[in-house]
Amino acid sequence: MHSPELLKGTLQTIVLKVLKDHGRMYGYEITQRVKELSDDRILLTEGALYPTLHKLEAEGMLRTETETIGKRVRKYYSLTPQGRSLVKERVSEFVAFIKTMGNVLQVELG
Amino acid sequence: MLTDDHITYIIKDLNYRGIVAEGIQDELIDHVCTAVEAEMRKEKRFIDAYHTVLKRFGHTGGLREIQKQTLQSENKPKNMIKNYFTVALRNLRKHSFYTFINVAGLSLGISICFIIVLFVRHELSYDRHFANADRIYRVHSELKFGGNHYNMTYAPAPMAAQLAQDYPEVAAAIRFRERGSYLVKRTTENIREDRVIWADKDFFKVFQVPVLAGDPAKALTEPNAIAISQRIAEKYFPGEEALGQTLILDDKINAKITAIYQNLPSNTHFHFDILIAMEGLDEAKSPVWLSNNFQTYVLLNEGASVSQLNAKIPALITKHMIPQLADALGPDFTLEKFTAEGNLFAYTLEPLTDIHLKSALSGEFEPNFDITYVYLFGAVAAFILLIACVNFMNLSTARSANRAKEVGMRKVMGSMRSHLIRQFLMESILLSMVSFVLATVLAYLLLPVFNSLASRELSIPFSNPNLYAVIAIAAVFIGMLAGIYPSFFLSAFKPVSVLKGNVALGMKSGFIRSSLVVFQFTISIILVIGTMAVFRQLNYIQNKKLGFNKDQVIMIDDAYALGDNKQAFKEMVKQDPRILNATISGYLPVSGTWRSDTPWWAEGKEAKAENMVSMQNWAVDYDYITTMGMTVKEGRGFSPEFPSDSTAVILNEAAALALNFNGEVVGSRIQTFDADYVTEVDRNKLQTLTVVGVVENFHFESLRQNVSPVMMFLAKRPGGIISFRIQAGNTQEIVTNIEKKWKELAPGQPFTYYFLDERFNNMYASETRLSKVFGIFTGLAILIACLGLFALTSFTAEQRTKEIGIRKVLGASVSSIVLLLSKEFGKLIAIAFVLAAPAAWYGVNWWLKDYTYKTEIGIGLFLFAGIAAFVVAWVTMSFQSFRAATSNPVDSLKSE
């Protein structure tokens, strides 16, 4: 398990990238997908996920659609064109950050 | 996997735990359900699975935390504004009466402001559309000679060419020469065109009017070449190519069309439709500097300094004009003596862009406007808007007592002062926005009325995106202006004292409010006095004894169209017994008719500048004095019984006085040089006339001016305008009859007639317009102020319902209660009157100082305005006061 402190700044990047690779997803699906990709090392808490999703939606990066399954209402998130361009930016920013960290900490990266 | 019962259970349980917010509730339910399903796949029972999931969420606290954070993460400021908006809307709807008063007053005020801004913008834009507008100047002539003082646009014929030749900073100089209207025809039917002018060939170089056909550089070079506006091209050659075609002017000039230019925009100080090449005008080639007939414009080179050029012009005058003046005035002429006697020949250059607003010379092409009126209009607009804003402030603060509890409660619930200020500002901005939308509609509807009053062609530039930006910014600004005081005032309440009931606001804390009411009424009273003064002056002008009778006179223009039939026409029409008299003369006692002046002196005196009197020389006929209804004071009028009348002259009193005769006026003789002032002045040939009569002074120009000396003599070939004095009644029939005779004697010529009194009133068109526009503004200002007062009194009455009830129970009469309620405002209006009277007195005197003949503005007018304001305000108030006073005390007291 990675420390939540380390994850804090990368939450948006993770959510955006996952949505980019998988199209539309609902909240639970996102947590499961991240868990899967990280071999259970990253567990998104609901308390962090939903505020992030709603914030991105309010900023116009995500759009939502709802589907009714019996008594349940499921809300799907997907990227807007604006969000799509943000993903690239965030990912390359993060890669650059890792490189810098590598230099700062004097370690060879993968 | 989950049954409906399970889902229902989860929904209910989460709801019970407080997950209720829209937008997150459904999402969390679905999330929990999915997670429970996942757990149940691990062979758990539903309830165990559910509890595992809940635990992961952190139970009730964790769930609520997610809900809270999610809501907060959504855009915060947007939500708050939405909230302010909702609350503001709710408040405005709840007090719809006050909202209505506010919106009505504000939108009225704004629409007036809007119209005035459009008007001012239009006035300020005059002539700025010309490329090089900042480098074009007009020659302004100031001449003092023979006791007369002229400020005019006319300059001597050779000046333009000389300026261009002598000074390298002048890029081009052109002249215009007005010769009145022309009869224009293509083949047979003559049409009268008023906007015809002779112009020098460089016209298109100085005024870069877009030319649609033809070469502007070559257009006006040949004699008889004309350039015409698009309007004329479409009128005479509809659907045809006009370039190269011919028009016949005044039945004699075959004019070839060499250019067609775009119609001049309305904000230009001239609107010529036909330009005739100056080449064809002999007068334009005159070398004489002593006769001023040409409007002269110069285009300076870039970077040239006009003040330096202005300083050089006196040298030009000394070099070219003074020698001719010395020749004309005799051997003992010296420039020093000439100027020492108070004579002056000064020429200066005035900027093109100043003409419309800062110039009122004789010989302007069209009536100009006055920059002071632009300022005045602007001030009135601002005042009306302020009055409307004051209404808003007053009502908001007066109602503060009602809202004090709301403010206290909001503060207890954690509102900060800044929140409240924002809340109140939101209300006023919202109100102002609504008012602006209404005002735009109102302005759109009122603009045609204003246009006809002010004789302008304004329109709202709906296609201009700036308009919307300006409206939006102005709406917010006005909203802030009106809301800033109430919002600070209201938000300052201390919740403890408010909720304890210690704040006795309402009418008592109204010092600022009282001042604002005083301000409103001061402005209103000033406007009332101003309007009444303008009306009174106009009335005075209309009824002043003019020295002639302006009523029941028909003038027929363009007598020249009759050719040699003028006299025959006059006699033929006179056979109608309803025609009392008739005269042929272009010189009439209203402005816009012919004028001509020459210096004369009394026979026996030396022909020197100090003895010369510059007089109007009017060529008239035998019937002139009787037809115009002038009074002969001494001697007699012209009569065919005296053959010697061909060398007789009749003076007006001003002329008789100025000529300073040694003996009796009648029988004395006057002299002048026998010259036409076009070619050359010959000192040796003199013309002598004998005075046979003196007529009472008559006003022949606007009453702004003094009556100047006039001499009348019999014309050899009378012409210009034929005037008939007619019997009252049946005017239309008489006109039809005259027109029939005209058609017989002048077939194919246009028949144009006016009434003398109409032409007379035209001289005061700007005053009439001013009084109408001001009258309307005043009415509206008072209306807006009274709207506010009405709401304010109804509010006071509402506040004091219980007090009134108790007073009535104790035996107060209706009248004493009405008095009680109106007393306070009555005092305010009295104060307003005291403040307004001196300001209005000053303003009215300032306006009247331009008139030589003016009405007396007595104390009565001021008193009337004060009483009128008081009565209007009192009627407004008493409606509410009376209602409050007559209501049944039981209704107001039973609820306590």
Side-chain angles (χ1 to χ4, degrees):
Chain A
M1 274 277 286
H2 288 303
S3 125
E5 287 300 310
L6 277 177
L7 280 175
K8 232 174 199 175
T10 57
L11 197 55
Q12 283 197 1
T13 315
I14 295 170
V15 170
L16 286 165
K17 182 70 168 76
V18 169
L19 280 172
K20 186 184 177 251
D21 295 344
H22 295 267
R24 63 170 212 173
M25 292 171 100
Y26 54 96
Y28 180 81
E29 207 181 353
I30 295 173
T31 56
Q32 293 311 304
R33 182 69 197 149
V34 172
K35 195 172 151 192
E36 204 179 297
L37 286 170
S38 64
D39 290 331
D40 288 2
R41 273 191 288 243
I42 296 177
L43 294 177
L44 290 184
T45 60
E46 290 78 5
L49 176 70
Y50 284 106
T52 305
L53 284 171
H54 281 243
K55 186 160 189 283
L56 285 169
E57 188 194 349
E59 286 169 358
M61 299 300 157
L62 302 181
R63 65 164 160 258
T64 58
E65 49 199 305
T66 47
E67 264 176 31
T68 319
I69 315 157
K71 286 193 154 194
R72 290 153 61 176
V73 181
R74 182 161 288 174
K75 192 167 164 191
Y76 287 97
Y77 293 87
S78 55
L79 289 173
T80 61
Q82 226 180 325
R84 213 166 277 283
S85 56
L86 184 70
V87 179
K88 275 190 207 126
E89 207 178 292
R90 285 290 166 85
V91 172
S92 56
E93 201 182 325
F94 186 72
V95 172
F97 175 72
I98 298 291
K99 263 192 196 145
T100 316
M101 284 306 284
N103 294 340
V104 171
L105 303 177
Q106 297 288 306
V107 287
E108 282 292 316
L109 290 173
Chain B
M1 291 238 292
L2 282 174
T3 62
D4 275 1
D5 286 345
H6 291 148
I7 295 171
T8 314
Y9 177 84
I10 292 174
I11 291 172
K12 275 194 179 152
D13 189 60
L14 286 179
N15 209 2
Y16 175 73
R17 289 171 197 268
I19 304 306
V20 289
E22 201 183 324
I24 184 75
Q25 187 186 22
D26 287 343
E27 209 167 3
L28 279 182
I29 291 169
D30 182 52
H31 191 115
V32 169
C33 288
T34 322
V36 169
E37 277 173 332
E39 287 299 321
M40 281 167 77
R41 266 185 229 115
K42 298 176 195 159
E43 307 291 320
K44 281 191 183 167
R45 284 193 312 145
F46 166 73
I47 201 70
D48 293 336
Y50 183 55
H51 280 283
T52 318
V53 173
L54 272 188
K55 195 179 162 197
R56 217 159 59 209
F57 270 94
H59 301 287
T60 311
L63 280 165
R64 283 196 186 167
E65 190 62 23
I66 293 172
Q67 172 175 265
K68 190 177 151 204
Q69 282 190 0
T70 308
L71 287 180
Q72 274 182 353
S73 72
E74 281 174 24
N75 215 339
K76 223 193 224 161
K78 206 168 88 192
N79 261 357
M80 283 313 281
I81 285 182
K82 201 172 144 205
N83 177 271
Y84 291 145
F85 184 81
T86 321
V87 174
L89 211 61
R90 206 177 289 156
N91 256 321
L92 295 177
R93 207 182 302 135
K94 209 160 118 196
H95 306 285
S96 47
F97 171 69
Y98 298 101
T99 307
F100 169 75
I101 298 273
N102 275 332
V103 169
L106 259 185
S107 47
L108 246 181
I110 292 164
S111 62
I112 292 165
C113 231
F114 195 10
I115 290 177
I116 294 181
V117 166
L118 283 178
F119 173 71
V120 168
R121 200 179 75 127
H122 179 262
E123 295 305 300
L124 293 176
S125 71
Y126 263 72
D127 296 315
R128 289 180 199 275
H129 55 83
F130 287 120
N132 310 330
D134 53 329
R135 292 194 277 128
I136 303 173
Y137 294 84
R138 182 175 71 180
V139 175
H140 164 194
S141 318
E142 189 182 4
L143 308 185
K144 276 187 195 168
F145 183 67
N148 279 338
H149 187 185
Y150 299 104
N151 271 296
M152 51 189 196
T153 61
Y154 303 114
M159 181 176 267
Q162 207 67 53
L163 280 170
Q165 191 187 319
D166 289 8
Y167 302 117
E169 54 263 59
V170 175
I174 57 156
R175 300 167 298 169
F176 294 111
R177 174 69 170 123
E178 286 173 297
R179 294 306 274 307
S181 62
Y182 277 81
L183 299 175
V184 179
K185 69 177 171 191
R186 192 177 166 189
T187 47
T188 48
E189 186 78 3
N190 263 328
I191 302 176
R192 177 193 156 123
E193 294 294 344
D194 291 324
R195 296 158 163 189
V196 184
I197 194 97
W198 296 74
D200 270 324
K201 63 178 185 335
D202 281 343
F203 173 84
F204 291 106
K205 189 172 170 192
V206 176
F207 296 102
Q208 295 185 358
V209 184
V211 171
L212 306 172
D215 179 2
K218 290 185 191 138
L220 294 169
T221 47
E222 304 278 322
N224 293 346
I226 56 170
I228 60 172
S229 68
Q230 206 179 348
R231 190 183 303 118
I232 291 290
E234 281 159 13
K235 184 167 164 187
Y236 290 88
F237 305 98
E240 284 178 62
E241 179 58 59
L243 192 70
Q245 303 255 33
T246 304
L247 282 175
I248 299 160
L249 309 181
D250 271 359
D251 294 324
K252 53 179 193 257
I253 306 173
N254 276 312
K256 192 176 164 222
I257 297 166
T258 53
I260 294 143
Y261 56 90
Q262 218 168 59
N263 292 333
L264 290 157
S266 68
N267 53 351
T268 312
H269 79 286
F270 53 67
H271 292 94
F272 307 133
D273 275 334
I274 301 181
L275 305 167
I276 314 177
M278 195 70 92
E279 278 306 303
L281 193 68
D282 288 337
E283 188 193 357
K285 295 169 186 132
S286 159
V288 173
W289 282 78
L290 300 182
S291 150
N292 295 283
N293 282 318
F294 292 85
Q295 281 100 346
T296 304
Y297 290 75
V298 297
L299 173 68
L300 299 191
N301 280 319
E302 240 162 294
S305 148
V306 69
S307 52
Q308 280 173 21
L309 186 58
N310 264 331
K312 291 178 197 165
I313 292 179
L316 187 87
I317 300 301
T318 315
K319 193 171 152 203
H320 300 283
M321 183 184 228
I322 300 300
Q324 288 187 10
L325 195 64
D327 274 353
L329 292 179
D332 61 341
F333 171 88
T334 60
L335 187 59
E336 290 71 31
K337 217 177 88 195
F338 184 72
T339 38
E341 281 159 6
N343 296 315
L344 178 73
F345 280 71
Y347 296 89
T348 44
L349 298 176
E350 66 175 338
L352 175 73
T353 46
D354 279 359
I355 291 177
H356 180 67
L357 289 177
K358 295 179 185 165
S359 176
L361 311 178
S362 57
E364 299 282 357
F365 291 119
E366 286 174 20
N368 288 334
F369 202 65
D370 191 334
I371 186 93
T372 46
Y373 287 139
V374 171
Y375 293 140
L376 207 59
F377 272 65
V380 168
F383 280 138
I384 288 180
L385 195 60
L386 273 180
I387 289 179
C389 286
V390 162
N391 274 352
F392 182 84
M393 292 185 209
N394 272 351
L395 284 178
S396 315
T397 49
R399 289 194 300 124
S400 58
N402 292 9
R403 296 198 71 172
K405 289 224 167 69
E406 177 196 335
V407 170
M409 194 55 87
R410 278 169 170 274
K411 282 199 168 175
V412 168
M413 297 303 282
S415 247
M416 287 194 287
R417 190 167 176 199
S418 62
H419 294 150
L420 286 167
I421 289 175
R422 263 181 256 158
Q423 172 68 56
F424 289 126
L425 277 182
M426 187 69 199
E427 260 180 59
S428 68
I429 289 172
L430 194 66
L431 212 65
S432 143
M433 297 246 184
V434 172
S435 304
F436 259 85
V437 173
L438 281 177
T440 311
V441 176
L442 211 58
Y444 178 75
L445 296 175
L446 289 177
L447 208 53
V449 182
F450 180 84
N451 277 340
S452 72
L453 275 178
S455 79
R456 289 290 187 276
E457 292 160 19
L458 304 178
S459 60
I460 301 177
F462 282 118
S463 57
N464 187 346
N466 287 344
L467 173 81
Y468 302 98
V470 168
I471 287 182
I473 292 168
V476 173
F477 177 75
I478 296 290
M480 299 272 250
L481 182 73
I484 200 96
Y485 168 67
S487 62
F488 276 90
F489 178 79
L490 291 177
S491 60
F493 292 160
K494 296 232 158 36
V496 176
S497 40
V498 166
L499 295 174
K500 267 177 158 178
N502 285 350
V503 179
L505 288 148
M507 293 323 292
K508 278 172 199 147
S509 70
F511 174 72
I512 291 179
R513 190 156 58 248
S514 303
S515 327
L516 289 174
V517 170
V518 168
F519 167 78
Q520 285 184 313
F521 274 85
T522 308
I523 300 295
S524 304
I525 293 171
I526 290 176
L527 287 175
V528 171
I529 295 176
T531 314
M532 281 172 54
V534 175
F535 272 113
R536 189 177 274 204
Q537 172 70 8
L538 274 178
N539 203 23
Y540 172 81
I541 288 168
Q542 244 113 32
N543 296 319
K544 175 152 173 47
K545 207 163 159 284
L546 295 166
F548 70 97
N549 185 355
K550 67 177 161 55
D551 300 314
Q552 305 295 335
V553 175
I554 294 179
M555 302 155 58
I556 291 152
D557 244 345
D558 314 320
Y560 57 91
L562 284 162
D564 294 331
N565 289 334
K566 287 194 248 328
Q567 209 59 42
F569 174 71
K570 178 182 154 189
E571 294 307 327
M572 216 162 131
V573 174
K574 260 176 89 175
Q575 281 165 9
D576 187 333
R578 290 168 300 186
I579 306 289
L580 303 176
N581 223 328
T583 182
I584 306 177
S585 171
Y587 298 92
L588 290 174
V590 281
S591 56
T593 56
W594 296 3
R595 295 290 178 261
S596 152
D597 65 277
T598 332
W600 292 77
W601 60 90
E603 191 190 37
K605 295 193 175 173
E606 239 184 298
K608 285 196 304 189
E610 66 258 41
N611 288 329
M612 289 182 179
V613 176
S614 180
M615 292 199 285
Q616 285 291 323
N617 297 193
W618 288 16
V620 301
D621 67 2
Y622 289 112
D623 302 317
Y624 187 80
I625 289 171
T626 39
T627 308
M628 286 298 136
M630 291 169 181
T631 320
V632 179
K633 291 277 272 205
E634 286 176 57
R636 58 175 177 85
F638 295 118
S639 161
E641 288 164 27
F642 298 88
S644 61
D645 272 4
S646 60
T647 56
V649 64
I650 292 176
L651 304 176
N652 71 350
E653 290 172 302
L657 195 70
L659 283 162
N660 197 17
F661 293 108
N662 288 327
E664 273 291 302
V665 176
V666 175
S668 296
R669 295 178 354 141
I670 58 170
Q671 289 185 312
T672 190
F673 301 121
D674 191 9
D676 55 6
Y677 284 89
V678 169
T679 47
E680 221 176 321
V681 179
D682 184 352
R683 282 189 63 78
N684 299 318
K685 271 165 52 193
L686 290 182
Q687 192 191 351
T688 309
L689 298 175
T690 311
V691 180
V692 296
V694 176
V695 291
E696 203 178 87
N697 274 345
F698 55 90
H699 292 277
F700 57 90
E701 291 292 340
S702 157
L703 289 183
R704 284 182 214 104
Q705 287 145 29
N706 265 314
V707 177
S708 57
V710 178
M711 55 149 289
M712 289 180 267
F713 58 94
L714 285 174
K716 290 184 190 80
R717 290 167 55 87
I721 300 168
I722 309 177
S723 311
F724 297 100
R725 176 164 295 281
I726 60 165
Q727 259 177 7
N730 287 333
T731 311
Q732 199 44 53
E733 212 178 296
I734 297 174
V735 170
T736 323
N737 197 26
I738 297 176
E739 186 173 2
K740 220 171 72 197
K741 302 268 162 57
W742 173 274
K743 286 267 146 71
E744 275 173 41
L745 289 177
Q749 307 291 4
F751 176 75
T752 346
Y753 70 96
Y754 308 96
F755 292 95
L756 183 59
D757 51 353
E758 262 173 30
R759 288 282 284 261
F760 176 83
N761 288 339
N762 276 348
M763 293 200 281
Y764 306 101
S766 68
E767 282 88 346
T768 314
R769 253 181 249 143
L770 191 69
S771 69
K772 278 187 193 154
V773 171
F774 260 75
I776 290 173
F777 287 164
T778 308
L780 288 173
I782 294 174
L783 179 70
I784 297 172
C786 282
L787 267 180
L789 197 59
F790 180 74
L792 218 49
T793 10
S794 57
F795 174 74
T796 328
E798 189 187 303
Q799 283 288 99
R800 296 170 82 170
T801 340
K802 294 232 158 67
E803 180 195 334
I804 292 165
I806 291 168
R807 280 176 188 274
K808 283 195 82 174
V809 168
L810 294 175
S813 68
V814 172
S815 58
S816 71
I817 288 172
V818 171
L819 190 68
L820 178 83
L821 288 173
S822 331
K823 204 173 60 186
E824 205 171 334
F825 291 115
K827 249 188 307 190
L828 298 183
I829 288 162
I831 296 171
F833 175 70
V834 171
L835 290 176
W841 185 83
Y842 180 80
V844 167
N845 275 321
W846 168 81
W847 182 70
L848 280 175
K849 76 175 188 313
D850 285 346
Y851 291 84
T852 315
Y853 303 93
K854 54 194 164 203
T855 173
E856 283 299 308
I857 302 296
I859 203 114
L861 189 137
F862 286 80
L863 285 181
F864 178 82
I867 291 168
F870 193 84
V871 167
V872 170
W874 198 81
V875 167
T876 310
M877 290 184 299
S878 60
F879 175 73
Q880 283 298 335
S881 312
F882 194 73
R883 210 175 65 174
T886 49
S887 63
N888 190 346
V890 172
D891 294 334
S892 55
L893 293 177
K894 71 181 172 194
S895 62
E896 197 76 357

